[in-house]
């Protein structure tokens, strides 16, 4: 087997374009997934039974369906009724998928805050909502940073699946390049490296913020 | 100022409060004492509705605390509560702990809240701890911040639930001194405590509880020298003779 690595620099624009699309899809999906996760995470600890039930159904259903199937389902089924396109179909599917996991992370974060914190906030005249916003969630957020970081990294990796609904990303660009250049070993090796660079950079950024946040209370 | 009338509460089959009635006039200091499991903490927590009651009525400054029509958040502004385990907000500095509620609940400006917060912290001997996080403070300091935090809402009533029980012995005095000062300033207070000497010194009345009931109420001198009930005599002989 003779390797020809020149396929990489010759097609650098294809990789860069794909990497940018992957980052774009992942970032937009995260931005949508966070509010979904917080809302449903709060729903999971709500005093209202119906809200709790709705949140539980969302979490359990989404966790129980493979992302690949969810992508297909949103693209082909919801696509019948809404003009989604492969780009927004991919972003929404990723967001809905990650949202369920973030909801669980948020729930455990809230439940890990000692009960006395809510009592202290309430005894100072804060409403339940104010106590959640100003006292509980800031503490829950600090606790869930590490699992949240894992979730974001997972989402970048999962985004490679969007190529199945023909959303342009790094993986789809690589597939097309392999189809024309027949250099599968070189291309996929380089693609793996790009994914690793993206996820590892994110890891480092989050670790930095985590340290800064926790330093003050140490 | 505080009026508790025929309050009952049970957890399942276990009766934690049985027909409890108590009046605390303005500027009076009442100590709740008794063996553990007597319902002291439960009772004090019902006064600001941290703990619901099954029936009966509790009013503070004329406002019925457990009435569904009462805005409990507003009613609580008038009732400071200090916990055994401090419950400071660990991600906020001492000053921020004191200012957050005046700002978020009362809508005070940051300047006004900080001015008042600093005054309170200084008066409690914490003038050099404004920017310290709770984890950097000793237990006694944390509890004094918690007292300042409660006072920042300008309550007419202060409730203390075993404020010194979680403290190392050498830090008990500084917290008791803070409470003593409040008593001198005429604050209406209910204190659940095991500090008998303190109760005797600053309280206007001792309320002795056992098995969810108020067993005896008396002036401190009378209670500690010559209690009426056998139950109180047994309790005192256990806590005073060691």
């Amino acid at each position: 087997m003779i390797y020809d690595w020149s396929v990489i620099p010759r097609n650098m624009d294809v990789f860069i374009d794909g990497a940018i699309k992957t980052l774009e899809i992942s970032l937009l999906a995260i931005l949508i997934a966070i509010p979904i996760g917080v809302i449903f995470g709060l729903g999971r600890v709500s005093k209202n039974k119906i809200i709790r039930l709705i949140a539980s159904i969302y979490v359990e259903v989404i966790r129980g369906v493979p992302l690949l199937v969810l992508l297909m389902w949103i693209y082909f089924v919801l696509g019948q009724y809404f003009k989604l396109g492969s780009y927004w179909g991919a972003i929404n599917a990723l967001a809905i998928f990650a949202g369920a996991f973030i909801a669980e992370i948020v729930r455990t974060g809230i439940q890990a805050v000692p009960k006395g914190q809510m009592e202290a906030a309430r005894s100072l005249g804060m409403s339940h909502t104010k106590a959640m916003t100003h006292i509980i969630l800031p503490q829950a957020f600090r606790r869930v940073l590490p699992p949240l970081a894992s979730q974001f990294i997972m989402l970048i990796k999962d985004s490679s699946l969007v190529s199945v609904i023909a959303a342009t990303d790094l993986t789809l660009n690589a597939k097309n390049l392999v189809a024309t250049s027949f250099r599968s070993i070189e291309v996929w090796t380089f693609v793996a490296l790009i994914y690793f660079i993206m996820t590892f950079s994110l890891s480092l950024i989050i670790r930095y913020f985590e340290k800064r946040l926790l330093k003050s209370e140490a | 100022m505080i009026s508790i009338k025929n309050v009952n509460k049970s957890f399942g089959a276990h009766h934690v409060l049985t027909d409890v009635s108590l009046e605390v006039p303005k500027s009076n200091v009442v100590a709740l004492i008794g063996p553990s499991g007597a319902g002291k903490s439960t009772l004090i927590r019902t006064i600001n509705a941290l703990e619901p009651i099954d029936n009966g009525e509790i009013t503070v400054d004329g406002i019925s605390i457990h009435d569904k029509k009462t805005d409990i958040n507003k009613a609580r502004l008038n009732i400071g509560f200090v916990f055994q385990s401090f419950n400071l907000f660990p991600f906020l500095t001492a000053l921020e702990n004191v200012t957050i509620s005046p700002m978020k609940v009362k809508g005070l400006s940051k300047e006004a809240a900080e001015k008042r917060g600093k005054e309170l912290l200084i008066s409690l001997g914490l003038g050099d701890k404004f920017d310290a996080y709770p984890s950097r403070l000793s237990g006694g300091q944390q509890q004094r911040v918690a007292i300042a935090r409660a006072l920042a809402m300008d309550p007419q009533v202060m409730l203390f639930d075993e404020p010194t029980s979680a403290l190392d012995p050498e830090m008990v005095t500084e917290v008791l001194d803070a409470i003593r000062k409040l008593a001198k300033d005429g604050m209406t207070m209910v204190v659940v405590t095991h500090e008998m000497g303190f109760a005797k010194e600053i309280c206007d009345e001792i309320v002795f509880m056992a098995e969810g009931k108020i067993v005896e109420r008396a002036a401190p001198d009378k209670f500690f020298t010559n209690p009426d009930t056998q139950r109180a005599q047994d309790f005192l002989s256990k806590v005073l003779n060691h």
Side-chain angles (χ1 to χ4, degrees):
Chain A
M1 187 91 212
I2 300 155
Y3 299 118
D4 178 10
W5 291 98
S6 72
V7 66
I8 307 297
R10 271 191 286 114
N11 294 287
M12 200 44 110
D13 56 328
V14 174
F15 292 110
I16 291 176
D17 171 67
I20 290 173
K21 276 281 172 343
T22 284
L23 282 178
E24 200 179 289
I25 289 172
S26 305
L27 186 71
L28 286 170
I30 287 174
L31 288 180
I32 301 171
I34 291 173
I36 294 179
V38 172
I39 289 167
F40 282 92
L42 284 167
R44 291 272 276 169
V45 295
S46 167
K47 279 184 199 152
N48 186 315
K49 262 189 193 156
I50 298 182
I51 293 176
R52 230 167 38 222
L53 183 71
I54 292 170
S56 300
I57 290 173
Y58 163 71
V59 168
E60 293 302 340
V61 168
I62 298 300
R63 276 203 308 193
V65 175
L67 176 57
L68 190 59
V69 176
L70 187 69
L71 268 165
M72 299 286 205
W73 192 83
I74 286 180
Y75 184 60
F76 290 110
V77 180
L78 285 190
Q80 297 273 328
Y81 307 98
F82 304 99
K83 259 186 90 77
L84 276 173
S86 57
Y87 182 69
W88 283 104
I91 291 170
N92 282 314
L94 284 172
I96 290 170
F97 187 73
F101 289 90
I102 295 176
E104 277 304 87
I105 293 172
V106 169
R107 176 184 67 82
T108 50
I110 291 171
Q111 287 174 339
V113 177
K115 211 172 122 237
Q117 293 290 304
M118 177 56 93
E119 289 187 344
R122 294 304 303 275
S123 74
L124 289 165
M126 289 190 198
S127 64
H128 185 84
T129 311
K130 274 188 183 163
M132 258 307 169
T133 317
H134 301 301
I135 304 300
I136 307 299
L137 282 180
Q139 295 183 64
F141 178 67
R142 284 165 169 78
R143 282 163 200 265
V144 302
L145 261 179
L148 216 47
S150 304
Q151 195 59 48
F152 293 162
I153 287 165
M154 211 106 83
L155 193 137
I156 290 181
K157 296 194 297 176
D158 287 346
S159 75
S160 63
L161 285 173
V162 303
S163 58
V164 299
I165 57 168
T168 309
D169 77 326
L170 181 55
T171 302
L172 188 68
N173 276 6
K175 253 190 214 167
N176 292 338
L177 184 58
V178 169
T180 54
S181 68
F182 305 107
R183 290 284 157 201
S184 50
I185 292 177
E186 296 85 342
V187 169
W188 287 119
T189 306
F190 189 58
V191 165
L193 181 69
I194 299 179
Y195 272 110
F196 173 73
I197 291 171
M198 290 194 290
T199 53
F200 189 61
S201 314
L202 181 64
S203 254
L204 291 179
I205 293 169
I206 294 174
R207 205 174 301 168
Y208 169 76
F209 278 114
E210 206 180 312
K211 261 195 197 140
R212 264 189 43 165
L213 260 179
L214 298 180
K215 198 172 62 182
S216 52
E217 296 158 34
Chain B
M1 179 59 75
I2 303 172
S3 158
I4 301 171
K5 280 190 196 122
N6 309 106
V7 165
N8 284 283
K9 178 180 176 64
S10 44
F11 292 119
H14 180 55
H15 235 72
V16 267
L17 294 175
T18 306
D19 204 28
V20 172
S21 297
L22 181 66
E23 300 281 331
V24 182
K26 194 167 166 41
S27 295
N28 267 35
V29 181
V30 168
L32 286 182
I33 66 172
S36 56
K40 311 175 300 280
S41 284
T42 307
L43 178 62
I44 200 169
R45 286 162 58 87
T46 63
I47 299 175
N48 76 342
L50 278 180
E51 209 65 71
I53 60 175
D54 297 341
N55 51 60
E57 193 185 24
I58 297 175
T59 62
V60 175
D61 199 22
I63 294 172
S64 181
I65 296 297
H66 290 268
D67 188 332
K68 289 221 160 56
K69 280 170 271 171
T70 302
D71 179 353
I72 187 64
N73 299 322
K74 218 172 147 193
R76 280 180 178 142
L77 296 181
N78 208 14
I79 311 170
F81 198 100
V82 175
F83 298 85
Q84 175 178 355
S85 49
F86 329 136
N87 292 345
L88 290 182
F89 307 132
F91 64 107
L92 299 177
T93 63
L95 184 59
E96 287 166 346
N97 261 279
V98 177
T99 58
I100 186 161
S101 214
M103 282 160 62
K104 302 296 181 193
V105 178
K106 285 191 163 175
L108 250 65
S109 70
K110 190 164 189 248
E111 293 71 37
E114 285 192 346
K115 184 168 174 280
R116 173 86 175 115
K118 283 178 181 172
E119 282 170 13
L120 283 166
L121 287 173
I122 291 169
S123 76
L124 287 158
L126 296 161
D128 56 342
K129 299 291 180 196
F130 294 163
D131 299 321
Y133 284 91
S135 57
R136 293 274 182 231
L137 299 173
S138 71
Q141 290 167 335
Q142 288 191 55
Q143 193 61 298
R144 283 182 285 149
V145 174
I147 293 171
R149 178 175 72 173
L151 291 174
M153 304 306 280
D154 293 315
Q156 284 188 280
V157 169
M158 283 287 281
L159 308 174
F160 294 85
D161 186 7
E162 301 199 25
T164 59
S165 298
L167 296 176
D168 290 335
E170 75 268 25
M171 290 167 187
V172 169
T173 314
E174 60 194 66
V175 171
L176 293 184
D177 281 345
I179 303 173
R180 195 174 280 128
K181 212 162 126 190
L182 285 174
K184 229 172 252 165
D185 295 344
M187 179 66 82
T188 310
M189 296 194 281
V190 177
V191 187
V192 175
T193 186
H194 296 293
E195 302 291 335
M196 297 303 154
F198 172 76
K200 188 174 178 181
E201 173 204 334
I202 73 153
C203 291
D204 300 293
E205 185 179 34
I206 306 290
V207 173
F208 176 71
M209 288 182 76
E211 283 111 31
K213 295 181 196 120
I214 291 180
V215 176
E216 181 162 353
R217 294 172 60 178
D221 284 338
K222 163 98 170 75
F223 181 81
F224 286 106
T225 51
N226 188 20
D228 287 332
T229 59
Q230 187 61 45
R231 194 74 187 74
Q233 284 168 23
D234 292 347
F235 175 75
L236 285 176
S237 71
K238 274 180 202 141
V239 295
L240 295 179
N241 297 336
H242 61 70

